[in-house]
Amino acid sequence: MATYIIGDLHGCFDEFQALLKQADFNPQQDELWLTGDLVARGENSLECLRFVKNLGERAVTLLGNHDLHLLATLQGIKKVKERDKVEAIFQAEDREALQNWLRNRPLVAQHPRHGFLLAHAGISPEWDLATAIGCAREVEGVLQSEDYGTLLSQMYDNSPNRWSAHLQGIARWRYTINAFTRMRFCDKDKGLDFDCKLPVEQAPPELKPWFELDSPLFHQQDILFGHWASLIGYPTPRHIYALDTGCVWGNYLTMLRWEDKKVFTQEKM
Ligand SMILES: [Mn+2]
């Protein structure tokens, strides 16, 4: 039995299947953990959703920013962008089942035996483990409620960009969603920055990748994340694993086998 963790699929279904074949993935015995963003931009988002859903308890996948955006468009809150190539999901006969399955996915997951944490974009440098998991469970509870559309319609905002234990309601949930699903750079005060679109090597010196900020958690906790395709080749600290290698942008899909840390890759086909 092996534990595999794979970066953002973004509809790259053929590459996903090739990677599972390469690793001889056995859904009867092995586990697959995914960083989220199964959908959008690539050609086969519907197939990715169906396949991961059908793995049932053998797969753990998270909500990424594109997964949340898909939920917002399926609810009619946001307009579909043509470049997302998700039209087939709207026409699918299992659309409602996929939608309900997707909105019941978590924002963060911890492996019960290996202990690693999986997050789509990362873990806020302002959080300890209990706060991170507590904040995720609060938002997940709202997404699993009947009124989840209200949260989806109010999540599109960059503020607040600093954490405070006193945050409440939509401000608290928005910070949580932004940290888990959209974060890349932070400023020196650990504020989330969503303006900088530069590659990490060209970013202004006052901005650092979230995992380079000072947080006791980052020294002791294995953290795996996706979301940041342009990090390819950028060195991360010992416990931090970046798994999005931009397959949909013409690079490759990456999958890590946790037990021996073997890395499998599949070029864009
Ligand atoms: Mn993402």
Side-chain angles (χ1 to χ4, degrees):
M1 181 186 158
T3 310
Y4 295 95
I5 310 102
I6 189 164
D8 306 24
L9 298 182
H10 279 300
C12 294
F13 185 70
D14 295 344
E15 293 81 357
F16 176 34
Q17 295 304 303
L19 203 47
L20 294 179
K21 203 170 168 197
Q22 202 192 118
D24 214 8
F25 175 80
N26 179 346
Q28 263 72 55
Q29 294 174 10
D30 300 330
E31 288 174 23
L32 185 64
W33 290 56
L34 302 99
T35 56
D37 275 0
L38 303 185
V39 301
R41 308 300 166 87
E43 301 299 326
N44 296 303
S45 292
L46 175 59
E47 287 79 359
C48 288
L49 279 179
R50 281 179 176 157
F51 185 88
V52 176
K53 177 175 179 282
N54 286 338
L55 285 174
E57 297 201 335
R58 309 310 301 175
V60 173
T61 188
L62 304 177
L63 286 164
N65 52 319
H66 287 274
D67 303 314
L68 287 169
H69 186 72
L70 173 67
L71 289 171
T73 55
L74 285 167
Q75 282 295 90
I77 293 161
K78 286 274 165 176
K79 281 208 181 103
V80 187
K81 297 178 202 147
E82 209 168 311
R83 62 176 180 184
D84 278 350
K85 303 180 189 164
V86 293
E87 196 49 43
I89 299 170
F90 284 74
Q91 312 301 334
E93 76 258 11
D94 52 348
R95 164 186 163 157
E96 207 176 308
L98 292 168
Q99 185 175 347
N100 281 322
W101 171 78
L102 191 61
R103 75 180 170 96
N104 280 279
R105 296 311 95 207
L107 284 171
V108 70
Q110 185 167 32
H111 195 281
R113 284 176 293 112
H114 301 310
F116 63 71
L117 269 188
L118 184 70
H120 177 65
I123 307 290
S124 164
E126 304 210 78
W127 283 341
D128 59 20
L129 182 59
T131 307
I133 291 177
C135 285
R137 298 302 169 249
E138 277 180 48
V139 170
E140 291 158 12
V142 181
L143 288 172
Q144 289 161 18
S145 74
E146 287 302 307
D147 190 30
Y148 74 104
T150 304
L151 172 58
L152 292 178
S153 65
Q154 294 175 346
M155 73 178 176
Y156 290 89
D157 197 296
N158 292 340
S159 73
N161 78 329
R162 288 293 311 270
W163 168 249
S164 155
H166 302 297
L167 288 176
Q168 289 188 336
I170 186 63
R172 186 179 178 93
W173 302 334
R174 204 188 274 143
Y175 179 88
T176 299
I177 288 173
N178 285 338
F180 277 126
T181 72
R182 296 178 58 221
M183 175 174 68
R184 289 191 180 97
F185 291 106
C186 291
D187 62 33
K188 287 198 168 70
D189 300 323
K190 303 185 179 176
L192 311 179
D193 177 278
F194 296 108
D195 295 330
C196 182
K197 309 286 179 205
L198 294 166
V200 61
E201 294 85 353
Q202 293 166 29
E206 64 272 19
L207 294 180
K208 291 198 179 312
W210 61 268
F211 50 78
E212 290 183 0
L213 280 107
D214 188 33
S215 162
L217 189 63
F218 300 167
H219 296 287
Q220 60 200 37
Q221 173 68 55
D222 292 310
I223 299 172
L224 294 83
F225 70 104
H227 181 63
W228 200 346
S230 67
L231 272 186
I232 288 191
Y234 187 80
T236 53
R238 197 162 71 90
H239 292 287
I240 313 283
Y241 298 77
L243 296 176
D244 183 9
T245 44
C247 186
V248 75
W249 308 118
N251 292 312
Y252 53 92
L253 202 57
T254 292
M255 185 167 77
L256 173 70
R257 184 163 62 203
W258 187 254
E259 285 79 2
D260 60 358
K261 304 293 183 291
K262 183 174 164 64
V263 174
F264 299 84
T265 61
Q266 172 60 52
E267 298 276 322
K268 172 96 176 120
M269 294 157 110

